[in-house]
Amino acid sequence: MGRVEGKVVVITGAARGQGRSHAVRLAEEGADVIALDICEDIEITEYPMATPEDLEETARLVRKAGRRVVTRQVDVRDREALRRAVDEGVAELGRLDVVVANASILPIGPGRPIAAFTDTVDVNLLGAVNTVHAALPHLEPGASIIVIGSVAGLVGARGDSGPAGPGGTAYRFAKAVLVEYVETLALQLAPVGTRVNAVHPTNCNTDMLLNDATYRTFRPDVENPTREDAELGFKAYHAMPVPWIEPEEVSHAVTYLASEESRYVTGMQLKVDAGVLMKLGS
């Protein structure tokens, strides 16, 4: 306990899923939290987004851990609104030490309009960059920036979107660009001791994965695939015998990178992938 005692962390996509898990885990280790989420649906996704009630539940869990929390409903695509939200959180909590750029969408599946590509790039790539850049003025030397990528961004495939459609292609593209962004920014900030790293999860037990659109993509051979049908496809993706990982598994990596244990770790692309890339030979 106490691995990030006294630090203040900003997390996007904090209302549920991985974002909530990161918020709670870091609070348990002593951090105060600025929890940000759009808390409204984005039309192109075929699954419901988090709600204001979800964000309040994250806040309740952070308080239960004995830490302070500031919440704001904000769209990461809007840098000015994001800047205001970060500014307000820092004004209330007094400082900012860690950034976790986590918010993402995945409007997966064939036959989707080009908005599936553009909206995904706007949220997953530009939203992550907006988050980091809105936070930078508040960070002191020695801060930690953590970008949540995906193993999809470490796979070299390009071109035809195939069954994943334009949204799946955009997801892979956005996460791939973030790999270079992390490495480049890490070099820029290294002289002041500020670290920039990425965590790349595989399939994770969240609403972004466990929905009908994803089931259909992973099991196109089944007319109306269920979660159980898709589980076979998810499991085949991994070298280890699991269909997905839990959000808490990613939060362990985030906590390490947020703590002083990793004070000389920067530019890292940390995989939490159950052996996907080994299996694919990437």
Side-chain angles (χ1 to χ4, degrees), residues 26-119:
L26 290 167
E28 290 171 345
E29 290 289 349
D32 296 326
V33 178
I34 303 168
L36 309 180
D37 202 293
I38 188 173
C39 292
E40 62 182 49
D41 287 343
I42 294 177
E43 184 177 356
I44 198 63
T45 66
E46 290 189 346
Y47 56 90
M49 306 292 282
T51 65
E53 292 74 21
D54 291 325
L55 186 58
E56 181 50 40
E57 175 63 10
T58 296
R60 185 189 72 80
L61 292 170
V62 170
R63 294 187 189 105
K64 182 180 178 182
R67 306 309 304 182
R68 297 179 296 165
V69 60
V70 173
T71 63
R72 291 291 186 274
Q73 291 178 225
V74 63
D75 188 339
V76 294
R77 295 172 292 185
D78 184 341
R79 186 182 294 187
E80 182 57 27
L82 191 57
R83 184 193 62 77
R84 288 195 301 271
V86 173
D87 289 351
E88 291 167 5
V90 173
E92 184 165 340
L93 297 180
R95 57 188 295 164
L96 185 61
D97 305 278
V98 181
V99 181
V100 184
N102 168 80
S104 284
I105 61 171
L106 178 57
I108 199 168
R112 309 298 300 281
I114 194 61
F117 184 93
T118 56
D119 285 1

Side-chain angles (χ1 to χ4, degrees), residues 10-14 36-38 42 49 74-83 85-86 99-105 117-136 145-149 170-171 173-175 177-178 181-182 185:
V10 62
I11 304 170
T12 59
L36 309 180
D37 202 293
I38 188 173
I42 294 177
M49 306 292 282
V74 63
D75 188 339
V76 294
R77 295 172 292 185
D78 184 341
R79 186 182 294 187
E80 182 57 27
L82 191 57
R83 184 193 62 77
V86 173
V99 181
V100 184
N102 168 80
S104 284
I105 61 171
F117 184 93
T118 56
D119 285 1
T120 302
V121 170
D122 286 349
V123 173
N124 296 8
L125 174 56
L126 300 182
V129 171
N130 285 344
T131 300
V132 174
H133 293 186
L136 275 174
I145 297 168
I146 304 162
V147 174
I148 306 301
Y171 185 89
F173 167 77
K175 300 299 188 179
V177 174
L178 287 173
Y181 173 75
V182 162
L185 185 60

